[in-house]
Amino acid sequence: MGEDILLARHGDHIIRLRQDARAGQTVATLRDGSSDAAPNHLDGGASHLSPADRTGRQLVALASDHHAESRRELRFLARLSVAWLLISAVALGAMVWFAATFMDPQDLQALMTGYLGYPPR
């Protein structure tokens, strides 16, 4: 990733690129003798965190005032999920009511047992 950043900054003025693993960055030597460095990670080193710590950081960031859009999106997704759950429950209830009211009991029993008129094997 650091190589891409340095290429965007300096283009063909780069003579040599090297990786500094200890600092987690790429260092470029330029034609004029100067050097420039760019990080290899956008997350600021968060990739070294455990999944629980990373999730905790994301939850803290989500709860802050800086992520109002994210909270709005989560509320919208929660409302959408509840609406979908209610629509699914009503549809299931309607199918059960229809089956219990209008189907012949023998057909309903065949449907419930999986036997739909085919000879058993």
Side-chain angles (χ1 to χ4, degrees), residues 15-34:
I15 296 174
R16 187 180 62 198
L17 291 171
R18 71 176 175 82
Q19 296 292 322
D20 185 0
R22 182 172 291 156
Q25 61 185 2
T26 302
V27 180
T29 305
L30 305 176
R31 284 188 181 165
D32 62 359
S34 63

Side-chain angles (χ1 to χ4, degrees), residues 8-77:
R9 284 184 194 164
H10 304 290
D12 61 348
H13 295 286
I14 297 173
I15 296 174
R16 187 180 62 198
L17 291 171
R18 71 176 175 82
Q19 296 292 322
D20 185 0
R22 182 172 291 156
Q25 61 185 2
T26 302
V27 180
T29 305
L30 305 176
R31 284 188 181 165
D32 62 359
S34 63
S35 64
D36 190 13
N40 288 330
H41 302 285
L42 284 179
D43 57 3
S47 62
H48 301 294
L49 297 174
S50 70
D53 292 337
R54 197 170 339 162
T55 303
R57 275 192 182 182
Q58 289 172 346
L59 289 174
V60 167
L62 186 63
S64 72
D65 290 335
H66 301 294
H67 293 287
E69 291 179 21
S70 296
R71 281 188 278 166
R72 254 185 278 140
E73 290 171 358
L74 283 177
R75 277 189 233 119
F76 172 73
L77 286 175

Side-chain angles (χ1 to χ4, degrees), residues 77-95:
L77 286 175
R79 288 182 190 135
L80 190 64
S81 298
V82 168
W84 184 260
L85 180 68
L86 289 174
I87 290 170
S88 298
V90 168
L92 178 66
M95 286 188 286

